[in-house]
Amino acid sequence: MSVFSALLRIALLALLVTFIAAPQVFAPVFEPLTSHGAPAIYNQGSLVALTLSHLWTVFVATLGSIVVAVSLGIFVTRPSGLEFLPLSRTIVNVGQTFPPVAVLAIAVPLVGFGEAPTLIALFLYGLLPIFENTLTGLTQVSPLTLDAARGMGMNARRRLVEIELPLALPVILAGIRLSLVINLSTATIGSTVAAKGLGEVIIAGLQSNNTAFVVQGGLVVAMLAFFIHDAFRLIERRAGRYQSAQASA
Amino acid sequence: MSRAGLSLDRLGGVIAILIAAAIILGPFSIYRANRIASGDARGIMFALPSAFAIGLMVLSMAIALVSAFVRALAARLAAAAFGMIAVFVAMGRSADFLTPAGNSFARVSPAWGFWLLSFAFALLVADALTRLRFGPWERLAALAVAAITLALLLGSGAWNNVSILKEYATRADSFWREARQHIVLALGSLSASVLVGIPLGILCHRIPAIKSAVLQTLNVIQTIPSIALFGMLMAPLAYLAATFPLAATLGIHGIGAAPAFVALFLYSLLPVVANTVVGLDQVSPKVIDAARGMGLSSRQRLQQVEFPLAFPTILTGIRIVLVQNIGLATVAALIGGGGFGTFVFQGAGQTALDLVLLGAIPTVLLAFAGAVILDALVDLAKGARA
């Protein structure tokens, strides 16, 4: 990463943190987006609290997706689970045609308003990209490598932990990144069913016809997504580099 | 793999357990005195006339056995498809059976036993289809058969007493209006993004200097949450409508379909542009050299060589956009843009599951059909290239 882009990222991050901590400072920037003397900065709650609960919801849901999706991915690529592999691929393909909004809305009548339907929807929707990438990552490990590991006397468990998972790691991480970014965005829709999060800011803006709120909420979520995306790309590259270093050693 | 006629299929075994759980443990339908009253769940024996209930249980157990022990794929597919039709007919019959005569407030909706049974049969169908490795034409034919069966089932009135169709009956007009709106939003923005995205992709391929800037901008747009982007576009479009009367007469307003259309268009650009670039970048330099050697001009090379070779990859991008747009168009309802989301959000607001499903099920079916059709087209395009 060049010095310039690193500086740009640090500056953006500082801007984001300042905005969340002290949004009033930016009132003049958002003033032109309001009309009839409406407030320029969201005033119905603390942005810090909303950001934290937004991130917490996404984090908990995605953590659940990671545990379940990676375990399932490992299971269907073992000899004992191979029979389930073709069908799992089909399920992933079909599952991804489900719009996240639909999953969210179906959960509401079943579990009521609040955090629960959002968590369920994010968890379910997050499963698919992680599962798909775990499958891709684990099935693309070359049979030659596995043979060599077997030849070195590694048992199935050590082959999985020391060879297959590390080799699949960058692809799995890419799946987690995709889930996180989608979930950050979907979690805003959770606010329509009374989950606490940055969606509240956007919806308050839509209800009071105040574009300043909509832009604020949207920008904070977009910047959070941007930084998470960026951080993961960095980790994925590290993981990839570690791999090639291992391969050449 | 043993080719014996009767050996335990482990996946089929799991499906058989699901089927057994659904019919033994699961309530088949829920009876409610009105659309938002709390429900009274009925097992199969109490949800259907006895002869019908016993028939359904025997049939389901038979399919469970086929699933666990029969290896012949055609037989598995036929059994699963038959089971699927039977369980849907049974649901309609259950609604007729449980609804008291002349009572228009009572609602009978599918309970989890029904959903689990349908899911198990759908898994069996999906598994058989996956293992049969159908080609693109066969997949399209299977989709058409499924669509016709569904249309016949709904058209025959067999499901008229089921709660979802009761929600539909009171909203038949608005349902088709929102359906049209949903399709216009999803497909219209897709067409616009193809018209703009492919030339933009070609430009990015030709001029590497702008490539990363364009792709990064589009990447950032994708991370903006949908309701925020919809909301943000309301302001400039409202301004446009207020400033230029022509814009307003063209139907451009701050609230409604216009911001949703523009937002969907913006989201669609990334997959189209990125896949166009990747597709063109993949064309081997040798092929281009050969084309140059044959005296083809730059434009002819693009039209006759590069674009056809990149086409399957571009089509894959269009498939992503189509599925994504059909899903995202539901969010348009939040800003007055219409579409199936209208029912989804209304239903979520009233915690009326039937109304949510009236919006969600058509959306999922549309997205699913779109994915199958585009996947088949991608395979056909690849086949034509080979």
Side-chain angles (χ1 to χ4, degrees), chain A residues 8-41:
Chain A
L8 189 72
R9 279 172 174 78
I10 293 170
L12 273 176
L13 191 60
L15 194 71
L16 178 64
V17 172
T18 322
F19 182 79
I20 293 170
Q24 287 303 336
V25 178
F26 295 84
V29 185
F30 288 100
E31 207 76 66
L33 293 173
T34 61
S35 52
H36 312 300
I41 296 294

Side-chain angles (χ1 to χ4, degrees), chain B residues 19-20 36 45 63 71 84 87 92-93 95 108 126 142 172 180 197 204 206 215 235 238 304 308 327:
Chain B
I19 295 175
I36 48 173
M45 285 309 289
I63 297 171
R71 290 272 176 183
M84 199 75 162
V87 73
R93 189 72 195 84
V108 177
R180 204 169 48 239
C204 287
R206 290 278 162 104
L215 288 180
Q304 296 170 20

